[in-house]
Amino acid sequence: DTAVSQTPKYLVTQMGNDKSIKCEQNLGHDTMYWYKQDSKKFLKIMFSYNNKELIINETVPNRFSPKSPDKAHLNLHINSLELGDSAVYFCASSHQGTGYGYTFGSGTRLTVV
Amino acid sequence: EDQVTQSPEALRLQEGESSSLNCSYTVSGLRGLFWYRQDPGKGPEFLFTLYSAGEEKEKERLKATLTKKESFLHITAPKPEDSATYLCAVNSGNTPLVFGKGTRLSVIA
């Protein structure tokens, strides 16, 4: 069983469209994350989400909105897609607290044309 | 603000040629320093967590060490299958992991 699974793996869409990426984890973790990896492979935190608290990175445009129906799922919805949104988006999960490693999904490569 | 700097950006080794990757960090209260391996088209894969200066951890040909300012990932007698991007990340308090830009390692047979 895949620990952290993301769908779709590839997403090609036109500018201005709205799209969603889904993430599910079966590890029993209580915290989930979205990271963006740019063309230079730099991983940057976008959001972290615990059952009770959503932490938003200030540099993330408000066109990006995470939604968590339960603690095993964290989806990412993106409105009005722009060319600069093209990147690989990774979902990850962990136990909340200090010093716990994250388990990452295999990523969603988003290409905006 | 937590910061992580990795060097070199890229490293090319002959098979069997040992070397080290560096991760320098600035953090207010280190709770953990993490090493990950990332293969092309895949997500980062957890390797090690180090919690305090002087700590060392090993896994096969890899050994990670930690001081108060930096961590090293030593690769002994590397093989081509060790080729990957190695990522360093730090955790302080309850903030999400902050990653460096990685070192892209190529091991040539």
Side-chain angles (χ1 to χ4, degrees), chain A residues 9 33 35 37 41-43 45 48 90 97-102 104-106, chain B residues 31 34 36 38 41-44 49 51 87 91 93-97 99-101:
Chain A
K9 187 167 178 65
Y33 312 84
Y35 278 82
Q37 189 169 49
K41 308 297 184 185
F42 183 41
L43 268 171
I45 184 69
S48 64
F90 286 99
T98 60
Y100 290 106
Y102 296 1
F104 282 82
S106 59
Chain B
R31 301 298 182 99
F34 302 80
Y36 283 82
Q38 186 175 21
K42 296 188 177 181
T49 308
Y51 294 102
L87 299 167
N91 175 240
N94 289 322
T95 59
L97 289 184
F99 282 83
K101 296 185 177 182

PDB file of all heavy atoms in Angstrom, chain A residues 9 33 35 37 41-43 45 48 90 97-102 104-106, chain B residues 31 34 36 38 41-44 49 51 87 91 93-97 99-101:
ATOM      1  N   LYS A   9      -0.809  12.269 -11.336  1.00  0.00           N
ATOM      2  CA  LYS A   9       0.643  12.378 -11.359  1.00  0.00           C
ATOM      3  C   LYS A   9       1.080  13.475 -12.332  1.00  0.00           C
ATOM      4  O   LYS A   9       2.072  14.152 -12.117  1.00  0.00           O
ATOM      5  CB  LYS A   9       1.284  11.044 -11.755  1.00  0.00           C
ATOM      6  CG  LYS A   9       2.806  11.054 -11.642  1.00  0.00           C
ATOM      7  CD  LYS A   9       3.378   9.668 -11.737  1.00  0.00           C
ATOM      8  CE  LYS A   9       4.899   9.710 -11.667  1.00  0.00           C
ATOM      9  NZ  LYS A   9       5.371  10.201 -10.349  1.00  0.00           N
ATOM     10  N   TYR A  33       0.931  18.337   4.542  1.00  0.00           N
ATOM     11  CA  TYR A  33       1.619  19.503   3.985  1.00  0.00           C
ATOM     12  C   TYR A  33       1.514  19.498   2.463  1.00  0.00           C
ATOM     13  O   TYR A  33       1.421  18.441   1.833  1.00  0.00           O
ATOM     14  CB  TYR A  33       3.112  19.478   4.345  1.00  0.00           C
ATOM     15  CG  TYR A  33       3.417  19.213   5.789  1.00  0.00           C
ATOM     16  CD1 TYR A  33       3.482  17.914   6.276  1.00  0.00           C
ATOM     17  CD2 TYR A  33       3.658  20.256   6.667  1.00  0.00           C
ATOM     18  CE1 TYR A  33       3.769  17.661   7.613  1.00  0.00           C
ATOM     19  CE2 TYR A  33       3.951  20.007   8.008  1.00  0.00           C
ATOM     20  CZ  TYR A  33       3.999  18.712   8.462  1.00  0.00           C
ATOM     21  OH  TYR A  33       4.286  18.465   9.792  1.00  0.00           O
ATOM     22  N   TYR A  35       4.015  21.047  -0.539  1.00  0.00           N
ATOM     23  CA  TYR A  35       5.250  21.692  -0.931  1.00  0.00           C
ATOM     24  C   TYR A  35       5.238  21.905  -2.439  1.00  0.00           C
ATOM     25  O   TYR A  35       4.676  21.099  -3.181  1.00  0.00           O
ATOM     26  CB  TYR A  35       6.466  20.825  -0.579  1.00  0.00           C
ATOM     27  CG  TYR A  35       6.937  20.936   0.845  1.00  0.00           C
ATOM     28  CD1 TYR A  35       6.324  20.204   1.861  1.00  0.00           C
ATOM     29  CD2 TYR A  35       7.998  21.763   1.190  1.00  0.00           C
ATOM     30  CE1 TYR A  35       6.756  20.305   3.174  1.00  0.00           C
ATOM     31  CE2 TYR A  35       8.443  21.865   2.503  1.00  0.00           C
ATOM     32  CZ  TYR A  35       7.811  21.135   3.481  1.00  0.00           C
ATOM     33  OH  TYR A  35       8.252  21.233   4.784  1.00  0.00           O
ATOM     34  N   GLN A  37       7.878  22.336  -5.678  1.00  0.00           N
ATOM     35  CA  GLN A  37       9.264  22.190  -6.115  1.00  0.00           C
ATOM     36  C   GLN A  37       9.408  22.835  -7.488  1.00  0.00           C
ATOM     37  O   GLN A  37       8.780  22.412  -8.455  1.00  0.00           O
ATOM     38  CB  GLN A  37       9.685  20.725  -6.170  1.00  0.00           C
ATOM     39  CG  GLN A  37      11.178  20.538  -6.408  1.00  0.00           C
ATOM     40  CD  GLN A  37      11.632  19.103  -6.199  1.00  0.00           C
ATOM     41  OE1 GLN A  37      11.034  18.164  -6.727  1.00  0.00           O
ATOM     42  NE2 GLN A  37      12.696  18.913  -5.429  1.00  0.00           N
ATOM     43  N   LYS A  41      14.532  22.511  -8.525  1.00  0.00           N
ATOM     44  CA  LYS A  41      14.384  21.445  -7.537  1.00  0.00           C
ATOM     45  C   LYS A  41      14.297  21.946  -6.100  1.00  0.00           C
ATOM     46  O   LYS A  41      14.485  21.181  -5.159  1.00  0.00           O
ATOM     47  CB  LYS A  41      15.534  20.412  -7.637  1.00  0.00           C
ATOM     48  CG  LYS A  41      15.739  19.867  -9.017  1.00  0.00           C
ATOM     49  CD  LYS A  41      14.534  19.118  -9.489  1.00  0.00           C
ATOM     50  CE  LYS A  41      14.762  18.481 -10.855  1.00  0.00           C
ATOM     51  NZ  LYS A  41      13.548  17.849 -11.386  1.00  0.00           N
ATOM     52  N   PHE A  42      14.014  23.259  -5.915  1.00  0.00           N
ATOM     53  CA  PHE A  42      13.926  23.801  -4.565  1.00  0.00           C
ATOM     54  C   PHE A  42      12.531  23.533  -3.997  1.00  0.00           C
ATOM     55  O   PHE A  42      11.530  23.955  -4.565  1.00  0.00           O
ATOM     56  CB  PHE A  42      14.217  25.290  -4.589  1.00  0.00           C
ATOM     57  CG  PHE A  42      14.224  25.945  -3.249  1.00  0.00           C
ATOM     58  CD1 PHE A  42      14.797  25.320  -2.148  1.00  0.00           C
ATOM     59  CD2 PHE A  42      13.643  27.186  -3.057  1.00  0.00           C
ATOM     60  CE1 PHE A  42      14.799  25.911  -0.897  1.00  0.00           C
ATOM     61  CE2 PHE A  42      13.648  27.787  -1.812  1.00  0.00           C
ATOM     62  CZ  PHE A  42      14.222  27.160  -0.733  1.00  0.00           C
ATOM     63  N   LEU A  43      12.496  22.845  -2.865  1.00  0.00           N
ATOM     64  CA  LEU A  43      11.238  22.516  -2.196  1.00  0.00           C
ATOM     65  C   LEU A  43      10.851  23.629  -1.239  1.00  0.00           C
ATOM     66  O   LEU A  43      11.592  23.942  -0.308  1.00  0.00           O
ATOM     67  CB  LEU A  43      11.403  21.224  -1.388  1.00  0.00           C
ATOM     68  CG  LEU A  43      11.062  19.909  -2.047  1.00  0.00           C
ATOM     69  CD1 LEU A  43      11.508  18.767  -1.154  1.00  0.00           C
ATOM     70  CD2 LEU A  43       9.580  19.798  -2.327  1.00  0.00           C
ATOM     71  N   ILE A  45       7.713  25.178   1.298  1.00  0.00           N
ATOM     72  CA  ILE A  45       6.443  24.906   1.962  1.00  0.00           C
ATOM     73  C   ILE A  45       5.370  25.878   1.486  1.00  0.00           C
ATOM     74  O   ILE A  45       5.612  27.073   1.304  1.00  0.00           O
ATOM     75  CB  ILE A  45       6.587  24.985   3.503  1.00  0.00           C
ATOM     76  CG1 ILE A  45       5.287  24.610   4.198  1.00  0.00           C
ATOM     77  CG2 ILE A  45       7.084  26.352   3.933  1.00  0.00           C
ATOM     78  CD1 ILE A  45       4.919  23.148   4.072  1.00  0.00           C
ATOM     79  N   SER A  48       0.701  23.923   5.796  1.00  0.00           N
ATOM     80  CA  SER A  48       0.653  22.764   6.667  1.00  0.00           C
ATOM     81  C   SER A  48      -0.723  22.764   7.315  1.00  0.00           C
ATOM     82  O   SER A  48      -1.293  23.823   7.587  1.00  0.00           O
ATOM     83  CB  SER A  48       1.755  22.782   7.719  1.00  0.00           C
ATOM     84  OG  SER A  48       1.589  23.877   8.590  1.00  0.00           O
ATOM     85  N   PHE A  90       4.217  18.520  -4.136  1.00  0.00           N
ATOM     86  CA  PHE A  90       4.337  17.334  -3.299  1.00  0.00           C
ATOM     87  C   PHE A  90       3.468  17.467  -2.064  1.00  0.00           C
ATOM     88  O   PHE A  90       3.480  18.500  -1.384  1.00  0.00           O
ATOM     89  CB  PHE A  90       5.782  17.129  -2.844  1.00  0.00           C
ATOM     90  CG  PHE A  90       6.693  16.625  -3.913  1.00  0.00           C
ATOM     91  CD1 PHE A  90       7.516  17.485  -4.611  1.00  0.00           C
ATOM     92  CD2 PHE A  90       6.733  15.268  -4.225  1.00  0.00           C
ATOM     93  CE1 PHE A  90       8.358  17.024  -5.600  1.00  0.00           C
ATOM     94  CE2 PHE A  90       7.574  14.789  -5.208  1.00  0.00           C
ATOM     95  CZ  PHE A  90       8.385  15.669  -5.902  1.00  0.00           C
ATOM     96  N   GLY A  97       4.585  17.747  15.893  1.00  0.00           N
ATOM     97  CA  GLY A  97       5.540  17.784  16.974  1.00  0.00           C
ATOM     98  C   GLY A  97       6.946  17.901  16.460  1.00  0.00           C
ATOM     99  O   GLY A  97       7.185  17.975  15.266  1.00  0.00           O
ATOM    100  N   THR A  98       7.856  17.876  17.372  1.00  0.00           N
ATOM    101  CA  THR A  98       9.225  18.173  16.996  1.00  0.00           C
ATOM    102  C   THR A  98       9.965  16.936  16.504  1.00  0.00           C
ATOM    103  O   THR A  98       9.797  15.847  17.023  1.00  0.00           O
ATOM    104  CB  THR A  98       9.979  18.739  18.199  1.00  0.00           C
ATOM    105  OG1 THR A  98       9.973  17.773  19.240  1.00  0.00           O
ATOM    106  CG2 THR A  98       9.328  20.008  18.691  1.00  0.00           C
ATOM    107  N   GLY A  99      10.749  17.154  15.485  1.00  0.00           N
ATOM    108  CA  GLY A  99      11.712  16.142  15.093  1.00  0.00           C
ATOM    109  C   GLY A  99      11.188  14.951  14.328  1.00  0.00           C
ATOM    110  O   GLY A  99      11.921  13.980  14.144  1.00  0.00           O
ATOM    111  N   TYR A 100       9.952  14.998  13.867  1.00  0.00           N
ATOM    112  CA  TYR A 100       9.463  13.874  13.091  1.00  0.00           C
ATOM    113  C   TYR A 100       9.706  14.096  11.601  1.00  0.00           C
ATOM    114  O   TYR A 100       9.437  15.156  11.066  1.00  0.00           O
ATOM    115  CB  TYR A 100       7.962  13.679  13.320  1.00  0.00           C
ATOM    116  CG  TYR A 100       7.625  13.168  14.690  1.00  0.00           C
ATOM    117  CD1 TYR A 100       7.066  14.005  15.648  1.00  0.00           C
ATOM    118  CD2 TYR A 100       7.869  11.845  15.043  1.00  0.00           C
ATOM    119  CE1 TYR A 100       6.757  13.542  16.911  1.00  0.00           C
ATOM    120  CE2 TYR A 100       7.556  11.375  16.294  1.00  0.00           C
ATOM    121  CZ  TYR A 100       6.997  12.223  17.228  1.00  0.00           C
ATOM    122  OH  TYR A 100       6.690  11.767  18.472  1.00  0.00           O
ATOM    123  N   GLY A 101      10.205  13.080  10.949  1.00  0.00           N
ATOM    124  CA  GLY A 101      10.403  13.159   9.514  1.00  0.00           C
ATOM    125  C   GLY A 101       9.083  13.124   8.781  1.00  0.00           C
ATOM    126  O   GLY A 101       8.077  12.666   9.302  1.00  0.00           O
ATOM    127  N   TYR A 102       9.092  13.631   7.588  1.00  0.00           N
ATOM    128  CA  TYR A 102       7.899  13.643   6.759  1.00  0.00           C
ATOM    129  C   TYR A 102       7.963  12.494   5.768  1.00  0.00           C
ATOM    130  O   TYR A 102       9.044  12.125   5.290  1.00  0.00           O
ATOM    131  CB  TYR A 102       7.801  14.939   5.962  1.00  0.00           C
ATOM    132  CG  TYR A 102       7.637  16.199   6.768  1.00  0.00           C
ATOM    133  CD1 TYR A 102       7.607  16.202   8.145  1.00  0.00           C
ATOM    134  CD2 TYR A 102       7.516  17.418   6.113  1.00  0.00           C
ATOM    135  CE1 TYR A 102       7.468  17.374   8.863  1.00  0.00           C
ATOM    136  CE2 TYR A 102       7.376  18.604   6.819  1.00  0.00           C
ATOM    137  CZ  TYR A 102       7.349  18.578   8.196  1.00  0.00           C
ATOM    138  OH  TYR A 102       7.218  19.747   8.887  1.00  0.00           O
ATOM    139  N   PHE A 104       6.718  11.679   2.002  1.00  0.00           N
ATOM    140  CA  PHE A 104       6.264  12.412   0.829  1.00  0.00           C
ATOM    141  C   PHE A 104       5.550  11.505  -0.159  1.00  0.00           C
ATOM    142  O   PHE A 104       5.856  10.310  -0.266  1.00  0.00           O
ATOM    143  CB  PHE A 104       7.452  13.060   0.114  1.00  0.00           C
ATOM    144  CG  PHE A 104       7.955  14.301   0.769  1.00  0.00           C
ATOM    145  CD1 PHE A 104       8.825  14.233   1.841  1.00  0.00           C
ATOM    146  CD2 PHE A 104       7.552  15.548   0.320  1.00  0.00           C
ATOM    147  CE1 PHE A 104       9.292  15.381   2.467  1.00  0.00           C
ATOM    148  CE2 PHE A 104       8.016  16.706   0.929  1.00  0.00           C
ATOM    149  CZ  PHE A 104       8.885  16.623   2.006  1.00  0.00           C
ATOM    150  N   GLY A 105       4.613  12.109  -0.886  1.00  0.00           N
ATOM    151  CA  GLY A 105       4.038  11.441  -2.041  1.00  0.00           C
ATOM    152  C   GLY A 105       4.979  11.540  -3.223  1.00  0.00           C
ATOM    153  O   GLY A 105       6.071  12.115  -3.121  1.00  0.00           O
ATOM    154  N   SER A 106       4.562  10.989  -4.344  1.00  0.00           N
ATOM    155  CA  SER A 106       5.427  10.939  -5.520  1.00  0.00           C
ATOM    156  C   SER A 106       5.318  12.190  -6.393  1.00  0.00           C
ATOM    157  O   SER A 106       6.035  12.306  -7.385  1.00  0.00           O
ATOM    158  CB  SER A 106       5.124   9.696  -6.349  1.00  0.00           C
ATOM    159  OG  SER A 106       3.759   9.710  -6.748  1.00  0.00           O
TER     160      SER A 106
ATOM    161  N   ARG B  31      15.271  21.449  16.300  1.00  0.00           N
ATOM    162  CA  ARG B  31      14.566  20.280  16.825  1.00  0.00           C
ATOM    163  C   ARG B  31      14.959  19.010  16.075  1.00  0.00           C
ATOM    164  O   ARG B  31      14.788  17.909  16.571  1.00  0.00           O
ATOM    165  CB  ARG B  31      13.057  20.486  16.728  1.00  0.00           C
ATOM    166  CG  ARG B  31      12.564  21.701  17.494  1.00  0.00           C
ATOM    167  CD  ARG B  31      12.839  21.593  18.981  1.00  0.00           C
ATOM    168  NE  ARG B  31      12.331  22.737  19.721  1.00  0.00           N
ATOM    169  CZ  ARG B  31      11.179  22.728  20.377  1.00  0.00           C
ATOM    170  NH1 ARG B  31      10.435  21.655  20.385  1.00  0.00           N
ATOM    171  NH2 ARG B  31      10.796  23.811  21.013  1.00  0.00           N
ATOM    172  N   PHE B  34      17.322  16.823   8.957  1.00  0.00           N
ATOM    173  CA  PHE B  34      16.905  15.661   8.178  1.00  0.00           C
ATOM    174  C   PHE B  34      17.682  15.596   6.876  1.00  0.00           C
ATOM    175  O   PHE B  34      17.929  16.618   6.229  1.00  0.00           O
ATOM    176  CB  PHE B  34      15.410  15.757   7.856  1.00  0.00           C
ATOM    177  CG  PHE B  34      14.536  15.858   9.064  1.00  0.00           C
ATOM    178  CD1 PHE B  34      14.358  17.054   9.720  1.00  0.00           C
ATOM    179  CD2 PHE B  34      13.893  14.731   9.559  1.00  0.00           C
ATOM    180  CE1 PHE B  34      13.556  17.142  10.845  1.00  0.00           C
ATOM    181  CE2 PHE B  34      13.083  14.806  10.676  1.00  0.00           C
ATOM    182  CZ  PHE B  34      12.917  16.022  11.323  1.00  0.00           C
ATOM    183  N   TYR B  36      17.341  13.697   3.114  1.00  0.00           N
ATOM    184  CA  TYR B  36      16.464  12.967   2.214  1.00  0.00           C
ATOM    185  C   TYR B  36      17.212  12.686   0.922  1.00  0.00           C
ATOM    186  O   TYR B  36      18.106  13.437   0.518  1.00  0.00           O
ATOM    187  CB  TYR B  36      15.210  13.780   1.869  1.00  0.00           C
ATOM    188  CG  TYR B  36      14.154  13.827   2.941  1.00  0.00           C
ATOM    189  CD1 TYR B  36      14.248  14.719   4.003  1.00  0.00           C
ATOM    190  CD2 TYR B  36      13.054  12.983   2.885  1.00  0.00           C
ATOM    191  CE1 TYR B  36      13.265  14.768   4.978  1.00  0.00           C
ATOM    192  CE2 TYR B  36      12.065  13.024   3.858  1.00  0.00           C
ATOM    193  CZ  TYR B  36      12.175  13.926   4.889  1.00  0.00           C
ATOM    194  OH  TYR B  36      11.204  13.960   5.856  1.00  0.00           O
ATOM    195  N   GLN B  38      16.347  12.123  -3.202  1.00  0.00           N
ATOM    196  CA  GLN B  38      15.291  12.243  -4.197  1.00  0.00           C
ATOM    197  C   GLN B  38      15.796  11.764  -5.550  1.00  0.00           C
ATOM    198  O   GLN B  38      16.781  12.280  -6.073  1.00  0.00           O
ATOM    199  CB  GLN B  38      14.789  13.687  -4.310  1.00  0.00           C
ATOM    200  CG  GLN B  38      13.582  13.819  -5.239  1.00  0.00           C
ATOM    201  CD  GLN B  38      12.994  15.209  -5.272  1.00  0.00           C
ATOM    202  OE1 GLN B  38      13.643  16.192  -4.941  1.00  0.00           O
ATOM    203  NE2 GLN B  38      11.724  15.300  -5.676  1.00  0.00           N
ATOM    204  N   GLY B  41      11.734  12.196 -10.788  1.00  0.00           N
ATOM    205  CA  GLY B  41      10.335  11.803 -10.933  1.00  0.00           C
ATOM    206  C   GLY B  41       9.710  11.220  -9.685  1.00  0.00           C
ATOM    207  O   GLY B  41       8.581  10.710  -9.732  1.00  0.00           O
ATOM    208  N   LYS B  42      10.429  11.287  -8.568  1.00  0.00           N
ATOM    209  CA  LYS B  42       9.893  10.717  -7.325  1.00  0.00           C
ATOM    210  C   LYS B  42       9.927  11.741  -6.202  1.00  0.00           C
ATOM    211  O   LYS B  42      10.575  12.778  -6.296  1.00  0.00           O
ATOM    212  CB  LYS B  42      10.702   9.481  -6.923  1.00  0.00           C
ATOM    213  CG  LYS B  42      10.591   8.336  -7.923  1.00  0.00           C
ATOM    214  CD  LYS B  42      11.245   7.083  -7.393  1.00  0.00           C
ATOM    215  CE  LYS B  42      11.064   5.927  -8.371  1.00  0.00           C
ATOM    216  NZ  LYS B  42      11.684   4.674  -7.853  1.00  0.00           N
ATOM    217  N   GLY B  43       9.223  11.417  -5.129  1.00  0.00           N
ATOM    218  CA  GLY B  43       9.245  12.275  -3.967  1.00  0.00           C
ATOM    219  C   GLY B  43      10.471  12.018  -3.111  1.00  0.00           C
ATOM    220  O   GLY B  43      11.116  10.978  -3.223  1.00  0.00           O
ATOM    221  N   PRO B  44      10.825  12.964  -2.246  1.00  0.00           N
ATOM    222  CA  PRO B  44      11.962  12.762  -1.350  1.00  0.00           C
ATOM    223  C   PRO B  44      11.743  11.543  -0.456  1.00  0.00           C
ATOM    224  O   PRO B  44      10.646  11.321   0.058  1.00  0.00           O
ATOM    225  CB  PRO B  44      11.988  14.044  -0.520  1.00  0.00           C
ATOM    226  CG  PRO B  44      11.301  15.064  -1.372  1.00  0.00           C
ATOM    227  CD  PRO B  44      10.244  14.308  -2.100  1.00  0.00           C
ATOM    228  N   THR B  49      17.504  11.331  10.594  1.00  0.00           N
ATOM    229  CA  THR B  49      17.234  12.484  11.440  1.00  0.00           C
ATOM    230  C   THR B  49      18.353  12.588  12.467  1.00  0.00           C
ATOM    231  O   THR B  49      18.719  11.591  13.095  1.00  0.00           O
ATOM    232  CB  THR B  49      15.904  12.365  12.198  1.00  0.00           C
ATOM    233  OG1 THR B  49      14.856  12.069  11.295  1.00  0.00           O
ATOM    234  CG2 THR B  49      15.598  13.676  12.912  1.00  0.00           C
ATOM    235  N   TYR B  51      19.519  14.949  15.892  1.00  0.00           N
ATOM    236  CA  TYR B  51      18.868  15.835  16.842  1.00  0.00           C
ATOM    237  C   TYR B  51      19.825  16.749  17.594  1.00  0.00           C
ATOM    238  O   TYR B  51      19.426  17.840  18.022  1.00  0.00           O
ATOM    239  CB  TYR B  51      18.072  15.019  17.851  1.00  0.00           C
ATOM    240  CG  TYR B  51      16.911  14.272  17.249  1.00  0.00           C
ATOM    241  CD1 TYR B  51      16.988  12.912  16.984  1.00  0.00           C
ATOM    242  CD2 TYR B  51      15.734  14.927  16.924  1.00  0.00           C
ATOM    243  CE1 TYR B  51      15.920  12.220  16.429  1.00  0.00           C
ATOM    244  CE2 TYR B  51      14.655  14.247  16.378  1.00  0.00           C
ATOM    245  CZ  TYR B  51      14.767  12.901  16.128  1.00  0.00           C
ATOM    246  OH  TYR B  51      13.700  12.227  15.573  1.00  0.00           O
ATOM    247  N   LEU B  87      18.876  15.992  -0.232  1.00  0.00           N
ATOM    248  CA  LEU B  87      18.277  17.186   0.352  1.00  0.00           C
ATOM    249  C   LEU B  87      18.471  17.198   1.853  1.00  0.00           C
ATOM    250  O   LEU B  87      18.317  16.169   2.523  1.00  0.00           O
ATOM    251  CB  LEU B  87      16.779  17.224   0.047  1.00  0.00           C
ATOM    252  CG  LEU B  87      16.367  17.264  -1.435  1.00  0.00           C
ATOM    253  CD1 LEU B  87      14.878  16.975  -1.568  1.00  0.00           C
ATOM    254  CD2 LEU B  87      16.701  18.595  -2.042  1.00  0.00           C
ATOM    255  N   ASN B  91      14.127  21.482  11.166  1.00  0.00           N
ATOM    256  CA  ASN B  91      12.853  21.690  11.841  1.00  0.00           C
ATOM    257  C   ASN B  91      13.112  22.432  13.142  1.00  0.00           C
ATOM    258  O   ASN B  91      13.973  22.014  13.926  1.00  0.00           O
ATOM    259  CB  ASN B  91      12.207  20.334  12.101  1.00  0.00           C
ATOM    260  CG  ASN B  91      10.923  20.450  12.905  1.00  0.00           C
ATOM    261  OD1 ASN B  91      10.818  19.886  13.988  1.00  0.00           O
ATOM    262  ND2 ASN B  91       9.956  21.167  12.371  1.00  0.00           N
ATOM    263  N   GLY B  93      10.848  24.212  16.360  1.00  0.00           N
ATOM    264  CA  GLY B  93       9.525  24.417  16.917  1.00  0.00           C
ATOM    265  C   GLY B  93       8.490  23.633  16.157  1.00  0.00           C
ATOM    266  O   GLY B  93       8.687  22.478  15.806  1.00  0.00           O
ATOM    267  N   ASN B  94       7.366  24.268  15.886  1.00  0.00           N
ATOM    268  CA  ASN B  94       6.289  23.608  15.158  1.00  0.00           C
ATOM    269  C   ASN B  94       6.192  24.048  13.708  1.00  0.00           C
ATOM    270  O   ASN B  94       5.180  23.831  13.050  1.00  0.00           O
ATOM    271  CB  ASN B  94       4.956  23.873  15.863  1.00  0.00           C
ATOM    272  CG  ASN B  94       4.868  23.128  17.177  1.00  0.00           C
ATOM    273  OD1 ASN B  94       5.322  21.993  17.275  1.00  0.00           O
ATOM    274  ND2 ASN B  94       4.322  23.775  18.192  1.00  0.00           N
ATOM    275  N   THR B  95       7.255  24.648  13.209  1.00  0.00           N
ATOM    276  CA  THR B  95       7.230  25.089  11.813  1.00  0.00           C
ATOM    277  C   THR B  95       7.531  23.913  10.890  1.00  0.00           C
ATOM    278  O   THR B  95       8.223  22.974  11.274  1.00  0.00           O
ATOM    279  CB  THR B  95       8.275  26.188  11.580  1.00  0.00           C
ATOM    280  OG1 THR B  95       9.568  25.676  11.916  1.00  0.00           O
ATOM    281  CG2 THR B  95       7.974  27.410  12.430  1.00  0.00           C
ATOM    282  N   PRO B  96       7.010  23.966   9.658  1.00  0.00           N
ATOM    283  CA  PRO B  96       7.294  22.887   8.702  1.00  0.00           C
ATOM    284  C   PRO B  96       8.775  22.837   8.352  1.00  0.00           C
ATOM    285  O   PRO B  96       9.505  23.805   8.523  1.00  0.00           O
ATOM    286  CB  PRO B  96       6.457  23.277   7.483  1.00  0.00           C
ATOM    287  CG  PRO B  96       5.416  24.191   7.999  1.00  0.00           C
ATOM    288  CD  PRO B  96       6.049  24.932   9.125  1.00  0.00           C
ATOM    289  N   LEU B  97       9.193  21.689   7.843  1.00  0.00           N
ATOM    290  CA  LEU B  97      10.577  21.520   7.430  1.00  0.00           C
ATOM    291  C   LEU B  97      10.959  22.570   6.395  1.00  0.00           C
ATOM    292  O   LEU B  97      10.213  22.845   5.453  1.00  0.00           O
ATOM    293  CB  LEU B  97      10.797  20.142   6.815  1.00  0.00           C
ATOM    294  CG  LEU B  97      10.759  18.938   7.740  1.00  0.00           C
ATOM    295  CD1 LEU B  97      11.109  17.672   6.956  1.00  0.00           C
ATOM    296  CD2 LEU B  97      11.692  19.113   8.910  1.00  0.00           C
ATOM    297  N   PHE B  99      13.831  23.285   3.624  1.00  0.00           N
ATOM    298  CA  PHE B  99      14.789  22.523   2.834  1.00  0.00           C
ATOM    299  C   PHE B  99      15.867  23.405   2.234  1.00  0.00           C
ATOM    300  O   PHE B  99      15.641  24.590   1.930  1.00  0.00           O
ATOM    301  CB  PHE B  99      14.077  21.793   1.692  1.00  0.00           C
ATOM    302  CG  PHE B  99      13.354  20.559   2.110  1.00  0.00           C
ATOM    303  CD1 PHE B  99      12.085  20.636   2.644  1.00  0.00           C
ATOM    304  CD2 PHE B  99      13.953  19.308   1.975  1.00  0.00           C
ATOM    305  CE1 PHE B  99      11.405  19.488   3.051  1.00  0.00           C
ATOM    306  CE2 PHE B  99      13.284  18.154   2.375  1.00  0.00           C
ATOM    307  CZ  PHE B  99      12.018  18.247   2.906  1.00  0.00           C
ATOM    308  N   GLY B 100      17.045  22.804   2.022  1.00  0.00           N
ATOM    309  CA  GLY B 100      18.059  23.404   1.185  1.00  0.00           C
ATOM    310  C   GLY B 100      17.765  23.086  -0.264  1.00  0.00           C
ATOM    311  O   GLY B 100      16.799  22.382  -0.582  1.00  0.00           O
ATOM    312  N   LYS B 101      18.608  23.592  -1.160  1.00  0.00           N
ATOM    313  CA  LYS B 101      18.377  23.408  -2.588  1.00  0.00           C
ATOM    314  C   LYS B 101      18.931  22.093  -3.115  1.00  0.00           C
ATOM    315  O   LYS B 101      18.764  21.777  -4.286  1.00  0.00           O
ATOM    316  CB  LYS B 101      18.941  24.586  -3.378  1.00  0.00           C
ATOM    317  CG  LYS B 101      18.240  25.896  -3.047  1.00  0.00           C
ATOM    318  CD  LYS B 101      18.708  27.046  -3.919  1.00  0.00           C
ATOM    319  CE  LYS B 101      17.919  28.306  -3.578  1.00  0.00           C
ATOM    320  NZ  LYS B 101      18.294  29.467  -4.425  1.00  0.00           N
TER     321      LYS B 101
END
